């Protein structure tokens, strides 16, 4: 598959890039600094700015799918969506956040007393983006939320999928960047969550 990956050198983006390459996909890695993109099979690095709607649309055009792995507070959801739609690419996968997941009916992670204040702005912006996507009718979008702890780790291939509730076990709520990448590329190859959010965790 021919994939445009926006934000290919971040924590999640780098693992997604590696997973895509390992599975034989062709990837255009769209980043601010192409020199930081590792040399991988079938990967082409391109300089792009998430705030440059027209330039981003031109870079995305001609791909089968777009994956967005950028911080919500470091991008404009309306410009990102407009760029994807202007490119003519119909399928859009988004690296989401855990803040909008529920820990109880009607109670979101971001609203719990122990939620770290330093992550609140990013989590809130992620929730806004999800709401915007839920009103989107042109794109075939998917928003994949990680668990509460989204951290470097092992590529085990063993994890659980859920819908809108935070996944947790006896050790807490977590997912490695590596296993998250597996879940996202699985969704790319075998779509099961069209126009909805789902979550991954241990």
């Amino acid at each position: 598959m021919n994939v445009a990956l926006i934000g290919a050198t971040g924590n999640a983006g780098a693992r997604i890039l590696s997973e895509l390459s390992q599975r034989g996909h062709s990837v255009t890695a769209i980043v601010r600094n192409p020199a930081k993109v590792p040399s991988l099979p079938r990967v082409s690095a391109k300089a792009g700015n998430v705030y440059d709607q027209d330039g981003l649309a031109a870079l995305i055009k001609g791909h089968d799918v777009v994956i967005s792995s950028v911080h919500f507070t470091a991008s404009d959801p309306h410009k990102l969506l407009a760029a994807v739609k202007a490119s003519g690419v119909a399928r859009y996968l988004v690296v989401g956040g855990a803040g909008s997941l529920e820990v109880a009916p009607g109670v979101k992670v971001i609203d719990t007393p122990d939620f770290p204040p330093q992550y609140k702005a990013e989590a809130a912006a992620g929730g806004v983006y999800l709401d915007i996507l839920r009103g989107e009718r042109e794109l075939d979008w998917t928003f994949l939320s990680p668990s509460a702890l989204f951290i470097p780790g092992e590529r085990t291939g063993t994890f659980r999928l859920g819908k809108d509730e935070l996944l947790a076990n006896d050790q807490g709520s977590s997912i490695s960047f590596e296993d998250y990448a597996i879940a996202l590329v699985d969704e790319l190859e075998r779509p099961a969550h069209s126009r909805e959010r789902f979550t991954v965790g241990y």
Side-chain angles (χ1 to χ4, degrees), residues 100-183:
S100 57
L101 292 167
E102 292 188 343
V103 292
V107 181
K108 296 178 181 178
V109 173
I110 192 174
D111 297 323
T112 57
D114 295 331
F115 191 86
Q118 64 268 32
Y119 299 129
K120 246 187 178 167
E122 178 69 13
V128 169
Y129 200 13
L130 177 58
D131 288 341
I132 293 170
L133 285 171
R134 282 174 167 160
E136 176 59 49
R137 294 293 174 262
E138 290 181 49
L139 297 175
D140 179 8
W141 61 270
T142 300
F143 187 99
L144 177 53
S145 287
S147 290
L149 288 178
F150 195 21
I151 52 178
E154 294 182 34
R155 185 186 184 279
T156 70
T158 302
F159 47 78
R160 295 181 293 148
L161 301 180
K163 187 72 186 296
D164 291 313
E165 297 78 33
L166 183 72
L167 294 175
N169 58 24
D170 292 342
Q171 284 74 49
S173 175
S174 68
I175 189 70
S176 70
F177 295 123
E178 290 78 5
D179 278 340
Y180 178 96
I182 294 175

Side-chain angles (χ1 to χ4, degrees):
M1 206 173 293
N2 195 9
V3 183
L5 174 58
I6 306 169
T9 52
N11 282 322
R15 273 72 167 195
I16 294 166
L17 180 67
S18 176
E19 187 72 23
L20 288 165
S21 177
Q22 284 180 46
R23 296 207 205 177
H25 297 284
S26 297
V27 189
T28 301
I30 301 171
V31 294
R32 283 175 293 187
N33 185 356
K36 292 185 177 181
V37 176
S39 178
L40 294 170
R42 295 167 300 278
V43 169
S44 172
K46 299 287 184 182
N49 185 329
V50 292
Y51 293 105
D52 178 4
Q53 184 176 311
D54 293 339
L56 196 58
L59 289 171
I60 293 168
K61 188 175 182 180
H63 292 82
D64 300 309
V65 61
V66 178
I67 299 174
S68 178
S69 180
V70 297
H71 285 292
F72 298 112
T73 52
S75 58
D76 181 328
H78 299 289
K79 286 187 176 181
L80 270 174
L81 285 171
V84 176
K85 287 191 275 192
S87 75
V89 179
R91 191 142 180 249
Y92 183 48
L93 277 64
V94 178
V95 175
S100 57
L101 292 167
E102 292 188 343
V103 292
V107 181
K108 296 178 181 178
V109 173
I110 192 174
D111 297 323
T112 57
D114 295 331
F115 191 86
Q118 64 268 32
Y119 299 129
K120 246 187 178 167
E122 178 69 13
V128 169
Y129 200 13
L130 177 58
D131 288 341
I132 293 170
L133 285 171
R134 282 174 167 160
E136 176 59 49
R137 294 293 174 262
E138 290 181 49
L139 297 175
D140 179 8
W141 61 270
T142 300
F143 187 99
L144 177 53
S145 287
S147 290
L149 288 178
F150 195 21
I151 52 178
E154 294 182 34
R155 185 186 184 279
T156 70
T158 302
F159 47 78
R160 295 181 293 148
L161 301 180
K163 187 72 186 296
D164 291 313
E165 297 78 33
L166 183 72
L167 294 175
N169 58 24
D170 292 342
Q171 284 74 49
S173 175
S174 68
I175 189 70
S176 70
F177 295 123
E178 290 78 5
D179 278 340
Y180 178 96
I182 294 175
L184 188 74
V185 181
D186 284 350
E187 177 67 23
L188 173 75
E189 294 177 345
R190 298 182 297 278
H193 301 88
S194 177
R195 292 192 172 91
E196 64 180 22
R197 182 259 292 280
F198 73 112
T199 185
V200 57
Y202 295 128

